[in-house]
Amino acid sequence: MQAVMDAILLGALLVAIWEWESTVARRHWPKLAPLALAAGPPTALALVSLFTPVPVPVGVYGVSLFALWFLARSPWVAVGCAASALGVAVTGLSRWGMSPHLLYALITIVGAGVIVCVVPCSRRRRIPCGIGYFAVLVALTDALRVNRDPWLDIAVTILVAGMDAAYVIGRSERERSFALQVQRAEHDALTGCLTRHGLEAWLRERAREGRPRGLVIACDLDDFKWFNDTFGHDVGDEVLREFARRLRAGLRPQDALSRPGGDEFTAFMAEVRPEDAGAIVERLHQAVAGRAFIAGVGAFDLGVSMGWAVGEFDEKTLAAADQALLDSKRHGKNRASGSRGDSRVAAAGEVPRVRLGWLSDAARLLWRYWPTAAVLTDAAGKIVAVNPSFERLTGRAEPDLIDRNPSIQASGHTSPEVYRDLWATVGRCEAWEGVLENRRPDGSLWWARECIVPVRLGDEVVGYWGTLVEDDPGAHRSSA
């Protein structure tokens, strides 16, 4: 019974110190918490041995060391080893004086320290019973020495090891579960970027180091809603993941990338000088928009608009970057603008658009009296010319169509498989023919038999022209 009472007192003492460190010290004194975890248990055991009648076997110090092996990082494990050796030395001198037993106790605890400091951290999870095994070993060898009641020491050490092993394993599971919940709360499940909550935590961490400042870049995928509606959310998710991967690859490990929502992303790069910001943004824009996005249904050229500002990481700088992003979109998209308008990355689609100038002018002349509805787009899918028949058929005037995507008239009911087939066909530079359901401005639905042909200039596709003929809705009612 005496062994049980002593073990409960010592085991509860260790658990109380570890729990206090976890729930109180980490919250209020985070910098001192590791020290409390490492030096607290051996200090408390030494005080109990010196000022109470409860005996503290050397094996209990070994138990606390093995527990520290699971709970702390390597530098603090060494601190715990030193504190344990000091505690054993002080209590041993008080209990035995200068004796062989004191020397043995010091050798034993130093040996335990060598084990926990040398064995790699990756082995921690493989030996959850190590605490108990070592405690039994220490207690048995302890019994061969000059303890007045060695069997009591054995029983106390084994019982304390069992209690504290259960606590350490339970705490490890609890912390792993909590870390997983924090990871899910702070990181977007689709792209791995920081959520708003995660960004706030990142900014708080930077604020502890001083007032963080640097480059803030607001990004937005151009016409991504149309892309999502056309090809489906699965393909859209592939593109978002690839975009985040490209952008993250261009950032430094200490930078942050957040996804406030949808196709919006914001990058934070600390300690960037204003004179370097333009070149950095230009490099990032080229990295994300300089080549096609590869999805399950083919390759797609998507524009990316960016706005940036340099300043402290606060709402004012973020608002300036967002305003610069709006300026990029107002001036043609697929470009980057600084908050003072002092930087501009040329839009990737401008060169093909210029090459289409002569063709769009010719199309307007040739198609003016053509009874078949016709439309011409650039390589990015923006309408550059329509004929009067197209205006009459769709119910939309040319000014409302120029620079818009033909999906403006989509009904939203056509199967994504149809669009995948469309883009796969034109991606092979072949003409596509099929039927699509459309919607006029008044809300009426109608079917069109369409033919879409890639326009090539040398080896490069610079646009698409298409013809539309209204089809019998009855033949497609079941497929709608």
Side-chain angles (χ1 to χ4, degrees):
M1 182 60 67
Q2 183 64 40
V4 174
M5 295 300 298
D6 290 348
I8 291 175
L9 289 173
L10 294 175
L13 175 65
L14 293 175
V15 170
I17 294 173
W18 292 328
E19 195 65 12
W20 178 85
E21 179 272 335
S22 175
T23 58
V24 178
R26 287 190 187 183
R27 180 183 296 271
H28 299 287
W29 307 286
K31 293 184 178 180
L32 294 178
L35 180 62
L37 180 63
T43 301
L45 292 175
L47 292 175
V48 168
S49 181
L50 290 172
F51 299 108
T52 72
V54 178
V56 181
V58 175
V60 175
Y61 284 92
V63 169
S64 70
L65 267 185
F66 270 88
L68 184 65
W69 193 28
F70 282 80
L71 300 176
R73 296 182 178 180
S74 297
W76 293 107
V77 173
V79 173
C81 294
S84 296
L86 180 61
V88 169
V90 171
T91 57
L93 285 172
S94 173
R95 184 176 179 185
W96 305 303
M98 294 299 296
S99 67
H101 190 79
L102 174 60
L103 179 61
Y104 161 75
L106 287 174
I107 292 174
T108 302
I109 205 66
V110 170
V114 171
I115 293 174
V116 299
C117 289
V118 171
V119 176
C121 296
S122 59
R123 293 188 59 189
R124 294 180 184 181
R125 304 299 178 188
R126 302 177 188 176
I127 50 173
C129 296
I131 299 173
Y133 293 155
F134 180 78
V136 172
L137 175 64
V138 171
L140 290 175
T141 52
D142 206 26
L144 302 177
R145 294 293 174 173
V146 294
N147 277 12
R148 287 174 295 182
D149 192 350
W151 297 109
L152 179 64
D153 285 359
I154 293 173
V156 169
T157 303
I158 293 175
L159 290 174
V160 171
M163 293 173 57
D164 292 344
Y167 169 79
V168 168
I169 294 172
R171 171 169 163 170
S172 298
E173 291 297 325
R174 182 182 67 191
E175 290 183 348
R176 184 160 53 248
S177 176
F178 179 74
L180 180 60
Q181 293 177 12
V182 171
Q183 170 73 16
R184 290 174 176 173
E186 294 186 349
H187 292 80
D188 172 50
L190 177 64
T191 63
C193 298
L194 294 175
T195 60
R196 294 180 186 273
H197 180 71
L199 178 61
E200 291 174 358
W202 185 85
L203 290 174
R204 284 196 300 270
E205 188 67 25
R206 300 289 80 73
R208 295 192 184 102
E209 304 168 0
R211 300 179 66 179
R213 60 179 292 112
L215 173 63
V216 179
I217 311 171
C219 311
D220 188 273
L221 284 164
D222 297 333
D223 303 313
F224 189 72
K225 183 180 184 304
W226 164 83
F227 185 89
N228 242 359
D229 293 342
T230 302
F231 297 104
H233 291 280
D234 290 342
V235 178
D237 289 348
E238 288 186 55
V239 171
L240 289 176
R241 280 192 291 266
E242 173 63 14
F243 174 81
R245 187 196 65 78
R246 292 183 185 182
L247 191 54
R248 192 182 294 108
L251 300 176
R252 303 166 301 182
Q254 66 267 31
D255 299 330
L257 178 60
S258 70
R259 183 190 176 201
D263 60 329
E264 300 174 3
F265 295 81
T266 308
F268 293 80
M269 304 182 70
E271 305 302 325
V272 172
R273 298 178 301 177
E275 56 268 28
D276 299 331
I280 293 174
V281 175
E282 183 175 357
R283 173 178 58 80
L284 290 174
H285 188 272
Q286 180 62 27
V288 297
R291 63 184 190 276
F293 288 87
I294 308 298
V297 295
F300 307 92
D301 290 314
L302 291 179
V304 178
S305 296
M306 291 183 172
W308 58 268
V310 177
E312 293 185 6
F313 288 164
D314 55 18
E315 292 296 329
K316 181 179 179 181
T317 306
L318 184 57
D322 286 337
Q323 183 59 49
L325 173 62
L326 292 177
D327 292 340
S328 294
K329 287 185 169 295
R330 288 173 182 150
H331 290 86
K333 303 183 180 181
N334 197 27
R335 65 188 68 215
S337 299
S339 60
R340 300 180 305 275
D342 52 4
S343 175
R344 177 181 179 278
V345 179
E350 285 182 355
V351 174
R353 184 67 174 270
V354 171
R355 297 181 198 172
L356 280 174
W358 66 269
L359 185 56
S360 62
D361 292 339
R364 287 187 177 91
L365 293 174
L366 295 173
W367 291 347
R368 178 172 299 176
Y369 302 106
W370 198 17
T372 302
V375 58
L376 177 67
T377 74
D378 61 14
K382 302 288 185 60
I383 296 175
V384 297
V386 298
N387 68 348
S389 296
F390 187 94
E391 295 177 89
R392 289 191 296 269
L393 181 62
T394 62
R396 290 180 170 86
E398 184 179 34
D400 298 328
L401 294 168
I402 298 300
D403 282 332
R404 303 293 295 275
N405 196 284
S407 64
I408 187 177
Q409 62 185 21
S411 68
H413 300 155
T414 304
S415 170
E417 294 294 333
V418 176
Y419 290 106
R420 293 191 183 102
D421 177 69
L422 186 160
W423 285 105
T425 302
V426 298
R428 297 190 299 268
C429 289
E430 299 173 2
W432 178 86
E433 293 186 50
V435 289
L436 299 175
E437 188 182 42
N438 300 290
R439 186 188 301 274
R440 294 187 174 93
D442 61 4
S444 61
L445 301 177
W446 59 284
W447 287 88
R449 184 167 298 277
E450 303 188 20
C451 177
I452 301 175
V453 180
V455 178
R456 299 178 61 179
L457 188 60
D459 294 330
E460 183 180 3
V461 174
V462 296
Y464 304 93
W465 70 269
T467 58
L468 293 79
V469 177
E470 188 167 6
D471 204 30
D472 179 18
H476 311 286
R477 190 165 294 143
S478 60
S479 64

